[in-house]
Amino acid sequence: MMEIIVTDERDERFQEFCDSFGCKIDEPQVVLLLMNFGKAIGCTSFKVYDADSAEITTLFLNSYDNREKIAYKLIRQLEKIAMDYEFKSVVVSFDSREDILIEIFEKLDYQFADDFLMKKEFKSLI
């Protein structure tokens, strides 16, 4: 049974999961952990980018099954939380245009704002 847990960068499950990908996060983050039978199988996190934007800082998936579906689920949930925090957009940056995650973000309506930064503006509900 899969569930998404909202936590922060101090969560030991998140730290262990990030360590397994060779990543260390120590600045304040909002973290979403995707748990399956008590084991972390995916995570994503964001931090403040600027006054209007949150920046996705991690997206790690341990599962090759339903990889895209899991990524979409995590990112969509993260976007909802970012909206709750009244951010107007979410950004994500890449080291290279060859990154395999770019395709996932393109399908979720993110567009390149510059060479390595993708952005999604939230539509106003007003």
Side-chain angles (χ1 to χ4, degrees), residues 16 26 37 39 43 46 65 100-101:
E16 279 176 31
D26 50 15
F37 297 106
K39 184 171 168 28
C43 79
F46 71 85
D65 312 330
I100 55 168
L101 293 174

Side-chain angles (χ1 to χ4, degrees), residues 32-49:
L32 280 68
L33 283 173
L34 183 63
M35 304 296 287
N36 193 19
F37 297 106
K39 184 171 168 28
I41 60 166
C43 79
T44 187
S45 61
F46 71 85
K47 65 179 184 179
V48 174
Y49 180 72

Side-chain angles (χ1 to χ4, degrees), residues 7-18 33:
T7 181
D8 66 25
E9 76 287 350
R10 296 169 300 210
D11 191 306
E12 286 178 21
R13 297 166 296 188
F14 176 64
Q15 290 175 355
E16 279 176 31
F17 199 68
C18 283
L33 283 173

Side-chain angles (χ1 to χ4, degrees), residues 10-70:
R10 296 169 300 210
D11 191 306
E12 286 178 21
R13 297 166 296 188
F14 176 64
Q15 290 175 355
E16 279 176 31
F17 199 68
C18 283
D19 284 350
S20 74
F21 288 91
C23 179
K24 276 260 181 267
I25 302 274
D26 50 15
E27 53 198 331
Q29 308 275 320
V30 174
V31 172
L32 280 68
L33 283 173
L34 183 63
M35 304 296 287
N36 193 19
F37 297 106
K39 184 171 168 28
I41 60 166
C43 79
T44 187
S45 61
F46 71 85
K47 65 179 184 179
V48 174
Y49 180 72
D50 62 26
D52 293 326
S53 307
E55 179 182 15
I56 296 175
T57 49
T58 62
L59 177 62
F60 296 132
L61 305 169
N62 241 357
S63 165
Y64 288 98
D65 312 330
N66 301 325
R67 205 172 167 78
E68 276 193 5
K69 202 167 119 189
I70 289 170

